[in-house]
Amino acid sequence: QVQLVESGGGLGQAGDSLRLSCAASGRTLSTLSTYVLGWCRQAPGQEREFVAAISRVGYNTYTYYADSVKGRFTISRDNAKLTLYLQMNNLEFEDTAVYYCAAKPSVSSGTYSYPASYDYWGQGTQVTVSS
């Protein structure tokens, strides 16, 4: 099993930058490379939506982004620190939401672009952007 804890959320203005972190842990967890890691968000009164994901296949690393954040957000991970990051630049009011870190085994069923496909979730961290 994997435990995920987000941090770094806060209040910002439109155009600001913010960096979210997600610390992963588990009794048998030694690497993030066998997991698809993602960020999803949920705004008040809305469904949880996919934001970004990162996966590794062999020596290649792949990243995926929702259209709404392409060019502004960057997902990355530090395998040595067992930490996932989401660098958010040029924040917009519409980015306001609770952001969740998520993970799923790379070999499991489902696609990275659907929140329901992830098996492990953090508690969420609030990001609020004023216009």
Side-chain angles (χ1 to χ4, degrees):
Q1 298 187 35
V2 178
Q3 291 79 49
L4 304 171
V5 180
E6 303 96 335
S7 62
L11 177 66
Q13 300 182 43
D16 285 355
S17 295
L18 198 61
R19 185 178 178 87
L20 305 183
S21 298
C22 172
S25 63
R27 187 178 68 83
T28 61
L29 182 66
S30 61
T31 179
L32 300 178
S33 63
T34 58
Y35 293 88
V36 176
L37 304 173
W39 289 96
C40 297
R41 66 188 182 186
Q42 187 166 19
Q46 300 186 26
E47 297 291 324
R48 188 168 300 184
E49 65 174 347
F50 166 77
V51 174
I54 186 168
S55 64
R56 184 177 180 86
V57 180
Y59 293 103
N60 300 314
T61 299
Y62 302 90
T63 57
Y64 314 89
Y65 299 94
D67 289 341
S68 59
V69 305
K70 286 181 179 178
R72 299 189 299 117
F73 290 9
T74 302
I75 188 171
S76 63
R77 64 183 178 187
D78 187 326
N79 205 56
K81 296 181 179 179
L82 298 178
T83 302
L84 177 72
Y85 302 97
L86 183 67
Q87 178 66 47
M88 304 185 294
N89 295 328
N90 194 24
L91 285 168
E92 302 173 353
F93 174 76
E94 292 76 16
D95 295 321
T96 296
V98 176
Y99 284 71
Y100 297 90
C101 176
K104 65 186 292 293
S106 298
V107 298
S108 67
S109 300
T111 179
Y112 57 85
S113 62
Y114 291 92
S117 70
Y118 291 91
D119 301 303
Y120 307 103
W121 294 86
Q123 82 288 351
T125 184
Q126 177 70 48
V127 173
T128 302
V129 183
S130 61
S131 59

